[in-house]
Structure formats: structure tokens, C-alpha cells
């Protein structure tokens, strides 16, 4: 390696096959490293970079967040993290974290796309000591994004934050989400980076192109192994969400949510149980994602 590595950032977002992309990159990290491409494992990036960075940001916003991490402590942590990464020398470095803009639970709570996105994305960019050459982001149509985010929210939320389905839908429709705002923030945070955006709905057709863009031209994609997905957790179906919400209505959030994992496993997504879709019956749903080609570069 001569000089700083070329940094490629995959910034999610949630529920857009990010786990699949990360799993495949992680499984092939040894193969990539031999060819000058370093995949920084997403768990390491999240634990040692994103989590302390966001704790610092939330404290600055005024939220009562733990742990408390000062600006000086954050600088020391992130500097040490990237110093260790750069010690071995590499030509291309891939970073991936769908939490760059925040958590999908934040979207559910307010019905907006990542309420704290500006503070979090700008801080994320500020603490990467190398210039980011490319930012890769997948987006999803609004109705399906919020449906999937709500399922994820129910899986991990605390009972005191419970939001029912009607409230979730009402907030989304009142705020009318717009991916342009998030992408403009990314453009501001990484002004010299090429921004590559694709729709999750097109991922099956674009998968090879997505990995080619992340890994670079020197990597033979035919030699990349698919992730094993041995420990992949079951995804709750529409029936699972229905059963859980009915239980909440009968016994309250605290008692019902204690049983959510059992319900999710019993009614996991399968041929017999389809995905969760809260929009079909009412006919009211957010519009499909549209991205202006004049504003952003995409993979076609």
C-alpha cells in the first residue's frame, strides 16, 4: 500500500439486505485481504466506532444517554480504532454499518426517516481519519421500509416504548417520508465521495454489481462464497405481528412482549405465513420511493 487506503463506505440503510451483504463480505474477508481489500467486520466497526460515536452525539443533543462519552474520549477511541486498522497496510478498506444514520426504531417512534440523521452522519464522517472515496446506500419503498422497521421494533423494543400499528401508520402518513433529505445529508457529510444509490427492490438483479462496486475491479466475484446463514434468526410474519398485537390488547405490553420470541418462532416467515403488510387493507400507504437522477448517481 502506498499512502492512505481507498475507503468505501456502505451505509445501509436498515432492512435493505444489509445483513446479507455484511455476512458475505465477512465470510470472504480472508480472500479479500489477500488481494489488498480489507473488510472491517461490521461488529467491530459498530462496537468500537459507531456505538461510542452515537453515545457522544446523543449526549450533545441533550438526551439522557449512557454511556457518557466526551469529545476528547471519542477522539481517542476512534483514532486508536483506525490506527489499529491501518497498521497492516491495505489498498482498499470497506466499512459497513446500517446504523450510520441512527436506528430503525427511531423511524417507528416518530414516523420519520432517522430523526437524528444530520448529527449522526456528520459525526460519522468527521471521525473517519481517511477520505471516503465512495458511499454506497440502498433505499426501500416507504411502505415496506416502515413495515419491516415496525417488525424489527417489536422484536427488540422495551415495553414502555410500545407503539401500536395505527399510531405507526398515522405518524408515517402525517410526516410523508423522503429519502432525498437523508441522501442530501450524506452528500454534505462526504462532499468528495461518489454516491451510489440503488433500490432494495432491484437488489436481486443488481447483487453482482453491488459487490463489484464495494470490492473493486481486482476481485473475481465468482470466487466469493455465499454466507452460510446457519444462525439466521426467524423473521416474524404478518400472522406473528397480528398475534402479538392482539395479545398486547388483551394483557398489556409488558406481559405480551415477554412472549414475542415464541410467537415469532411459531409464526415465522415461510410459505405458509407471508410478510407483514399493514397498508393493504386500508389502501392508505406512503408513495413508492422515487430518486431524482439529476441529484444522485445510481446503479441502473
Amino acid at each position: 500500500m502506498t499512502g492512505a487506503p481507498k475507503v468505501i463506505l456502505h451505509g445501509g440503510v436498515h432492512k435493505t439486505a444489509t445483513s446479507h451483504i455484511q455476512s458475505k463480505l465477512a465470510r470472504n474477508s480472508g480472500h479479500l485481504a489477500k488481494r489488498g481489500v480489507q473488510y472491517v467486520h461490521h461488529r467491530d466497526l459498530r462496537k468500537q466506532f459507531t456505538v461510542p460515536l452515537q453515545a457522544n452525539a446523543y449526549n450533545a443533543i441533550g438526551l439522557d444517554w449512557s454511556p457518557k462519552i466526551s469529545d476528547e474520549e471519542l477522539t481517542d477511541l476512534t483514532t486508536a480504532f483506525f490506527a489499529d486498522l491501518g497498521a497492516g497496510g491495505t489498498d482498499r478498506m470497506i466499512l459497513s454499518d446500517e446504523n450510520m444514520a441512527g436506528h430503525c426504531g427511531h423511524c417507528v417512534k416518530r414516523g420519520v426517516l432517522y430523526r437524528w440523521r444530520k448529527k449522526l452522519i456528520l459525526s460519522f464522517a468527521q471521525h473517519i481519519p481517511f477520505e471516503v472515496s465512495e458511499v454506497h446506500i440502498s433505499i426501500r419503498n416507504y411502505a415496506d421500509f416502515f413495515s419491516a422497521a415496525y417488525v424489527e421494533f417489536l422484536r427488540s423494543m422495551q415495553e414502555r416504548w410500545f407503539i401500536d400499528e395505527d399510531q405507526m401508520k398515522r405518524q408515517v402518513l402525517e410526516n410523508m417520508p423522503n429519502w432525498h433529505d437523508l441522501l442530501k445529508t450524506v452528500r454534505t457529510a462526504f462532499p468528495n465521495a461518489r454516491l451510489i444509490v440503488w433500490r432494495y427492490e432491484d437488489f436481486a438483479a443488481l447483487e453482482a454489481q453491488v459487490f463489484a462496486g464495494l470490492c473493486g475491479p481486482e476481485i473475481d466475484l465468482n470466487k466469493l462464497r455465499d454466507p452460510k446463514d446457519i444462525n439466521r434468526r426467524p423473521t416474524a410474519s404478518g400472522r406473528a405481528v397480528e398475534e402479538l398485537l392482539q395479545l398486547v390488547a388483551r394483557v398489556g405490553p409488558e406481559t405480551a412482549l415477554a412472549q414475542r420470541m415464541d410467537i415469532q418462532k411459531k409464526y415465522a416467515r415461510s410459505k405458509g405465513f407471508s410478510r407483514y403488510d399493514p397498508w393493504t387493507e386500508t389502501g392508505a400507504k406512503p408513495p413508492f420511493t422515487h430518486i431524482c437522477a439529476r441529484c444522485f448517481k445510481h446503479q441502473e
Side-chain angles (χ1 to χ4, degrees):
M1 179 186 76
T2 56
K6 181 175 183 178
V7 177
I8 310 299
L9 173 61
H10 170 230
V13 297
H14 294 93
K15 318 314 294 183
T16 57
T18 300
S19 294
H20 170 75
I21 293 171
Q22 292 171 340
S23 295
K24 188 166 183 175
L25 291 171
R27 188 177 187 200
N28 292 279
S29 58
H31 175 81
L32 294 172
K34 292 177 182 178
R35 289 152 182 82
V37 179
Q38 180 182 17
Y39 175 61
V40 179
H41 200 289
H42 46 280
R43 285 197 293 267
D44 294 334
L45 182 67
R46 187 170 304 148
K47 181 178 179 180
Q48 300 182 54
F49 182 73
T50 310
V51 168
L53 182 150
Q54 293 189 348
N56 170 266
Y58 293 143
N59 292 154
I61 291 168
L63 302 180
D64 184 15
W65 199 266
S66 182
K68 308 291 185 185
I69 296 180
S70 68
D71 293 344
E72 293 76 16
E73 290 172 321
L74 179 63
T75 298
D76 290 343
L77 287 170
T78 57
T79 299
F81 176 64
F82 278 100
D84 289 342
L85 291 179
T90 187
D91 297 318
R92 187 182 187 93
M93 180 183 291
I94 304 173
L95 308 175
S96 177
D97 195 344
E98 66 271 35
N99 296 309
M100 179 177 72
H103 303 276
C104 63
H106 298 167
C107 303
V108 173
K109 289 179 183 179
R110 297 281 192 259
V112 298
L113 294 169
Y114 301 103
R115 183 185 184 192
W116 310 113
R117 61 183 179 271
K118 290 184 179 179
K119 178 69 175 177
L120 297 179
I121 293 174
L122 289 171
S123 184
F124 198 99
Q126 177 187 349
H127 287 89
I128 298 176
F130 310 117
E131 184 174 46
V132 174
S133 299
E134 298 176 8
V135 181
H136 297 240
I137 290 182
S138 177
I139 57 176
R140 187 171 183 173
N141 80 73
Y142 303 115
D144 288 346
F145 172 80
F146 278 98
S147 298
Y150 188 59
V151 172
E152 185 70 15
F153 177 72
L154 291 176
R155 186 189 70 83
S156 57
M157 57 160 284
Q158 299 177 23
E159 57 271 7
R160 65 192 179 99
W161 294 115
F162 176 72
I163 293 174
D164 66 28
E165 180 182 275
D166 288 340
Q167 182 180 351
M168 181 273 291
K169 293 194 293 184
R170 183 175 63 254
Q171 290 181 156
V172 172
L173 292 170
E174 287 174 350
N175 288 288
M176 292 305 293
N178 191 328
W179 287 118
H180 280 86
D181 293 338
L182 184 144
L183 295 173
K184 287 176 183 177
T185 299
V186 173
R187 176 68 80 198
T188 300
F190 302 97
N192 298 318
R194 181 182 176 215
L195 178 58
I196 298 99
V197 183
W198 70 92
R199 297 193 320 177
Y200 166 75
E201 291 77 14
D202 301 326
F203 179 70
L206 291 174
E207 181 170 356
Q209 194 172 345
V210 168
F211 279 100
L214 293 171
C215 297
E218 303 302 320
I219 301 301
D220 183 353
L221 299 182
N222 294 319
K223 294 183 178 179
L224 297 185
R225 296 173 295 172
D226 288 329
K228 294 180 179 179
D229 288 338
I230 293 176
N231 297 317
R232 185 178 181 182
R233 68 172 187 259
T235 300
S237 65
R239 174 67 181 280
V241 175
E242 180 183 359
E243 292 285 335
L244 179 59
L245 294 180
Q246 288 177 355
L247 190 60
V248 168
R250 292 198 303 271
V251 302
E254 183 175 0
T255 302
L257 292 174
Q259 303 178 47
R260 57 188 157 189
M261 297 309 295
D262 292 335
I263 294 173
Q264 177 175 289
K265 290 178 182 178
K266 183 177 181 179
Y267 301 110
R269 281 267 306 268
S270 64
K271 291 183 179 180
F273 299 110
S274 59
R275 67 182 180 86
Y276 171 63
D277 177 10
W279 308 101
T280 301
E281 291 184 3
T282 62
K285 62 164 53 177
F288 196 86
T289 303
H290 172 72
I291 293 298
C292 176
R294 291 176 299 175
C295 298
F296 304 106
K297 296 179 181 178
H298 329 194
Q299 297 175 338
E300 297 297 336

